[in-house]
Amino acid sequence: MYKILSKRELAQGTVVENVISAPRIAKKAKPGQFVILRVNETGERIPLTMADTDPEKGTITLIYQVVGKTTALMKTLNVGDGYQDIAGPLGKPTHIEKVGTVVCIGGGTGIAVLHPITRALKQAGNKVYGICGARTKDLLIMEDAMAAASTECTLCTDDGSCGYHGFGTDLLKQILDREKVDLVVGIGPVPMMKFVCSVTLPYNVRTLVSLNAIMVDGTGMCGCCRATVGGKTAFACVDGPEFDGHQVDFDELTKRLRGYADMERQSMELFEHKCSCK
Amino acid sequence: MAEEKAKVPRQKMPEQDPAVRRRNFKEVPLGYSPETAKLEASRCIQCKTPGCSKGCPVGIDIPGFVKEIAVGNFEAGIAKLKEQNALPAVCGRVCPQESQCEGNCILGKKGEPVAIGRLERFIADWERTEGKMKLATLPAPSGKKVAVVGSGPSGLTVAGDLCLKGHDVTVFEAFHKPGGVLLYGIPEFRLPKDILFSEINGLERLGVKFEVNAVVGKVVSLEELFEEGFDAIYVAVGAGLPYFLGVPGENLIGVYSANEYLTRSNLMKAYLFPEYDTPLVRGKNVIVVGAGNVAMDSARTAMRMGADTVKIVYRRSREEMPARAEEIHHAEEEGIELFLLTNPVRFLGDADGRLTTVECQKMELGEADASGRRRPVPIEGAFFTMPTDLAVISVGAGANPLLTGSTPALSLNKRGYIVAQPETGKTTMKGVWAGGDIVTGMATVIQAMGAGKQAAASMHDYLTIGW
């Protein structure tokens, strides 16, 4: 059992933060790496990138958005409960080095993944622009943490309820027009990452994205998380999760992520039915 | 006397009716009754130099345990068997007996060999169901700690053997349950999981510790295991890197590696969805590419998941199929068709990226290649398509670099497998042994166990004498 030490709702009851006791993983994990967890005996294995780790306290922080059965089930867990299984750290850590000026742009829960990377890039001596976006103010997470992690951080919402009224990619473009940027890290929903890459491509700026492919084992054993990168098949779990965004076939990724949509719906309906019967 | 015994025919194994079993996950063979087992065991002529034991990679005293069954002394039989084999219920089910013990049985020269595998299975099941599982008495603790990386057949064998020698053994497993390929790879209808867990539980009660969710190479390195106080390490991580065909459309939804398909089904119990949360595509028209045991397991799983048609698509002919004859026979009985001398060249899908069609090319056999098998050659222009909504690629697996990539002191061969001495399993890193598929490439359960036996003996020498 991996005990939950704290639970916090970050946005509109759909984004939840758990601090979990996992000493071995906390000691080893680096920014950009993920874990695979299983809630209970009948649960599936899902990958989640760590939002933070504390090697001294032996804890890892996970932030998830309730989107289906597994995450809905996760939300029913409270402090003192535990996850049945957590394996990690998995995947390659983000390559952190001083490159000059970096833009870290995150959307939705992607900001949770982006945060430790942003912090590490700044600690490595980079000038880091942070951009945090969401549909609306209530869905925006980790504003303070991102402000602390970056040299300068801007917020934006699609509906203008907080910060800049519009997409984060507008802000990104403004920076790219204004000064030389050496690296862009974009993490969020697939359409957002695809959009970030299309914005940076004409500027020829290296752009890293983190792929949230469906996984089972997370160790390169099953090949479930296949993605086409640069015309070749890569396994997101061991070759990634981060890739050069300009090489990624986002359309294929989008389709593969929808592969089980019908069964996911069926699972969710059953779960809601059981919950309402209680 | 030998002639008289040979008159008793080899006893048939009762099985579930193919028409019924093709839609359920219950075990196919139903096992011998004690009477049938005694009768079958009585066929053994107790050769002075038994070929059967020589054919067994773990060197079981086969005439010894068979003799005890023949006289109804089951307790003594299982004790004899377990002197050499910690997983008899598993081996009795999944070993390729026809090419090992039974293949060397003298009765097989003129008639049919003694059904050694079925007898092994019988006596292991008898012990479990009679609740008479006895724990071996352990020697005084040696004070030495051993780490075993990987809990498949090879790792479990080493763990059992070294525990019996008094060493303190911890097995590290990346998945959330131990068993390795026995768990994620072999379906319930061939190896029921409660039988596997019962054998693993036997090791646990003996004193073997299991640490699951432990991805060695990521969460802890081999060097760090030594720092934590382990005196020796056995690496048995298997060959877990699925090969694909490298043809267009292979990333469509509905195209699986056999590893993924079987892991979802066996380990995650996707066949019980939505009771279990892991989903799996239920194909109507299924193809399985490849013709080994894993391919048969995938095809039979797809049939049990409700497919209308399941085809084994294989680029060579029936003669070259690597699967056990019994597995091919079982598959055909269940309505699985063989599409031989056929090679997929392209997968086609719909606008949602779902597999709808496979395009294949007919093949013919040319000259023998390096493997000694006749090489499949494409027949020019001989293409055809088949409607397909699920394809399982089962063309083998390579060495997974997750652990080896993080351990520079381990020498690897050109294909990424660990270099280990064939007799001992010693690697180029002091205190580290390796065996099973990560050394040899994909092989059988019992071969992996054989490597484990040898390594355990060598490790014991090291722990008591020195490197």
Side-chain angles (χ1 to χ4, degrees):
Chain A
M1 274 295 208
Y2 294 77
K3 210 168 173 187
I4 297 172
L5 305 175
S6 84
K7 178 184 181 182
R8 209 153 59 99
E9 286 187 14
L10 298 187
Q12 280 190 348
T14 68
V15 181
V16 181
E17 179 199 84
N18 277 162
V19 176
I20 302 156
S21 170
R24 261 194 194 272
I25 301 171
K27 208 168 115 190
K28 267 299 173 76
K30 294 198 171 68
Q33 289 191 296
F34 64 91
V35 293
I36 288 205
L37 68 82
R38 198 172 70 125
V39 180
N40 58 22
E41 187 52 39
T42 57
E44 64 179 326
R45 293 167 61 96
I46 65 156
L48 275 177
T49 304
M50 286 170 272
D52 210 350
T53 55
D54 189 330
E56 256 108 72
K57 288 185 186 147
T59 62
I60 60 170
T61 304
L62 299 178
I63 292 176
Y64 60 89
Q65 182 163 19
V66 177
V67 287
K69 154 85 190 269
T70 298
T71 43
L73 187 62
M74 284 164 69
K75 209 193 151 194
T76 66
L77 299 180
N78 293 307
V79 172
D81 296 338
Y83 289 96
Q84 180 121 353
D85 303 290
I86 302 182
L90 298 168
K92 288 183 180 162
T94 311
H95 181 69
I96 303 289
E97 62 173 336
K98 187 176 174 182
V99 291
T101 302
V102 182
V103 180
C104 291
I105 172 166
T109 44
I111 296 167
V113 179
L114 187 68
H115 168 249
I117 299 169
T118 309
R119 190 173 54 191
L121 283 167
K122 190 182 159 206
Q123 278 165 359
N126 292 290
K127 179 180 179 187
V128 182
Y129 289 105
I131 301 172
C132 298
R135 271 203 327 272
T136 184
K137 181 175 187 281
D138 292 342
L139 288 172
L140 209 50
I141 62 166
M142 301 181 79
E143 303 96 316
D144 296 343
M146 275 298 286
S150 40
T151 316
E152 190 183 312
C153 185
T154 319
L155 307 177
C156 60
T157 46
D158 298 0
D159 64 359
S161 53
C162 177
Y164 173 81
H165 186 172
F167 294 133
T169 40
D170 301 343
L171 298 169
L172 170 65
K173 201 164 178 307
Q174 284 170 21
I175 298 169
L176 291 168
D177 282 334
R178 192 176 72 211
E179 60 191 289
K180 184 180 170 289
V181 171
D182 303 285
L183 173 70
V184 171
V185 184
I187 303 176
V190 178
M192 172 248 166
M193 292 195 288
K194 185 183 172 183
F195 195 22
V196 166
C197 292
S198 68
V199 167
T200 59
L201 188 63
Y203 295 87
N204 202 22
V205 180
R206 198 158 72 88
T207 305
L208 281 182
V209 296
S210 181
L211 304 189
N212 54 336
I214 297 173
M215 294 182 191
V216 182
D217 63 294
T219 63
M221 193 275 275
C222 82
C224 173
C225 58
R226 317 205 274 297
T228 301
V229 181
K232 289 193 185 119
T233 293
F235 290 178
C237 70
V238 287
D239 301 324
E242 283 164 21
F243 293 98
D244 174 353
H246 294 145
Q247 303 290 319
V248 172
D249 183 341
F250 285 106
D251 296 338
E252 180 188 87
L253 177 68
T254 304
K255 286 173 186 171
R256 284 188 68 86
L257 285 169
R258 284 193 202 127
Y260 295 106
D262 292 346
M263 296 177 92
E264 281 161 6
R265 206 171 301 123
Q266 188 190 345
S267 203
M268 189 64 187
E269 278 165 12
L270 191 72
F271 178 73
E272 283 170 342
H273 177 70
K274 274 189 188 161
C275 280
S276 64
C277 284
K278 269 183 190 168
Chain B
M1 185 174 156
E3 274 172 32
E4 202 175 297
K5 286 200 169 179
K7 278 179 197 158
V8 176
R10 181 175 159 111
Q11 296 301 299
K12 286 207 164 52
M13 180 76 116
E15 288 180 345
Q16 265 200 80
D17 179 354
V20 176
R21 73 179 196 234
R22 68 203 282 268
R23 296 301 191 201
N24 72 50
F25 277 83
K26 289 188 213 130
E27 196 171 14
V28 169
L30 302 170
Y32 277 161
S33 66
E35 290 68 36
T36 315
K38 277 198 262 183
L39 191 61
E40 179 61 31
S42 75
R43 298 178 64 230
C44 173
I45 59 170
Q46 297 288 320
C47 302
K48 283 217 174 64
T49 47
C52 51
S53 293
K54 273 195 207 117
C56 173
V58 300
I60 292 171
D61 175 5
I62 293 167
F65 94 82
V66 172
K67 188 176 165 189
E68 300 293 355
I69 297 177
V71 297
N73 199 351
F74 300 151
E75 217 158 316
I78 186 71
K80 181 119 276 200
L81 181 53
K82 284 172 100 177
E83 281 171 11
Q84 292 301 323
N85 186 355
L87 307 169
V90 171
C91 289
R93 286 170 165 83
V94 304
C95 271
Q97 290 105 7
E98 68 280 0
S99 61
Q100 292 173 339
C101 52
E102 293 180 22
N104 287 306
C105 175
I106 195 86
L107 294 190
K109 302 272 187 264
K110 279 188 176 166
E112 286 192 294
V114 174
I116 299 164
R118 293 170 187 175
L119 291 173
E120 182 180 25
R121 174 192 149 133
F122 162 77
I123 199 147
D125 288 356
W126 174 84
E127 185 195 34
R128 195 182 56 258
T129 51
E130 294 292 305
K132 293 206 170 120
M133 282 183 92
K134 272 202 188 145
L135 284 189
T137 33
L138 296 180
S142 69
K144 301 287 183 182
K145 280 177 72 180
V146 178
V148 174
V149 185
S151 65
S154 203
L156 292 178
T157 300
V158 168
D161 278 19
L162 291 181
C163 189
L164 285 172
K165 297 276 188 195
H167 306 299
D168 178 357
V169 184
T170 305
V171 181
F172 294 88
E173 166 55 45
F175 269 134
H176 51 262
K177 277 191 185 134
V181 72
L182 302 170
L183 175 62
Y184 72 76
I186 302 181
E188 186 78 14
F189 54 82
R190 214 147 70 75
L191 176 62
K193 299 299 164 241
D194 56 352
I195 289 170
L196 173 64
F197 293 145
S198 156
E199 299 215 322
I200 290 172
N201 182 254
L203 289 173
E204 252 174 321
R205 290 193 301 151
L206 206 58
V208 176
K209 284 168 267 184
F210 286 90
E211 199 170 312
V212 295
N213 299 312
V215 186
V216 175
K218 282 290 186 184
V219 75
V220 64
S221 67
L222 296 189
E223 288 87 350
E224 286 163 335
L225 286 176
F226 283 125
E227 284 163 24
E228 285 181 20
F230 287 100
D231 299 290
I233 300 174
Y234 184 62
V235 178
V237 294
L241 191 76
Y243 289 149
F244 286 91
L245 300 169
V247 302
E250 213 166 5
N251 291 345
L252 289 165
I253 299 157
V255 182
Y256 286 99
S257 73
N259 271 359
E260 181 187 355
Y261 188 69
L262 292 174
T263 300
R264 282 179 179 270
S265 175
N266 300 327
L267 173 73
M268 305 310 296
K269 297 200 180 293
Y271 64 92
L272 297 174
F273 181 89
E275 189 190 326
Y276 280 71
D277 293 340
T278 303
L280 188 64
V281 169
R282 286 176 182 264
K284 283 286 152 208
N285 296 297
V286 181
I287 68 159
V288 176
V289 184
N293 291 325
V294 176
M296 297 303 139
D297 286 342
S298 303
R300 297 171 71 194
T301 297
M303 185 57 89
R304 283 158 174 78
M305 293 285 288
D308 293 337
T309 67
V310 181
K311 299 181 179 82
I312 294 279
V313 174
Y314 182 50
R315 61 196 184 126
R316 301 180 198 252
S317 73
R318 186 171 187 127
E319 210 173 299
E320 291 86 19
M321 286 174 75
R324 291 179 67 191
E326 188 186 335
E327 301 304 330
I328 300 170
H329 174 67
H330 275 149
E332 285 191 295
E333 278 184 337
E334 290 163 13
I336 287 151
E337 303 160 71
L338 303 184
F339 267 58
L340 303 171
L341 292 164
T342 303
N343 199 31
V345 292
R346 190 157 60 121
F347 294 104
L348 302 157
D350 63 15
D352 295 330
R354 280 178 201 282
L355 175 67
T356 56
T357 309
V358 60
E359 182 176 350
C360 296
Q361 184 165 24
K362 294 301 289 177
M363 312 289 279
E364 60 190 354
L365 291 181
E367 297 299 309
D369 64 12
S371 75
R373 299 179 299 181
R374 292 178 65 193
R375 198 164 56 87
V377 184
I379 302 174
E380 216 175 302
F383 295 99
F384 66 99
T385 59
M386 294 189 287
T388 303
D389 50 2
L390 168 61
V392 181
I393 312 296
S394 177
V395 293
N400 186 326
L402 190 107
L403 180 135
T404 54
S406 73
T407 317
L410 280 178
S411 290
L412 308 179
N413 70 16
K414 268 186 287 182
R415 294 166 64 212
Y417 294 103
I418 297 175
V419 174
Q421 289 177 12
E423 298 301 317
T424 61
K426 267 187 188 177
T427 68
T428 51
M429 187 175 173
K430 195 185 171 200
V432 179
W433 282 254
D437 288 5
I438 190 58
V439 171
T440 59
M442 273 179 89
T444 64
V445 167
I446 195 78
Q447 281 166 327
M449 290 177 66
K453 281 256 155 228
Q454 289 180 331
S458 169
M459 290 170 82
H460 178 64
D461 286 347
Y462 170 69
L463 293 168
T464 48
I465 304 165
W467 181 247

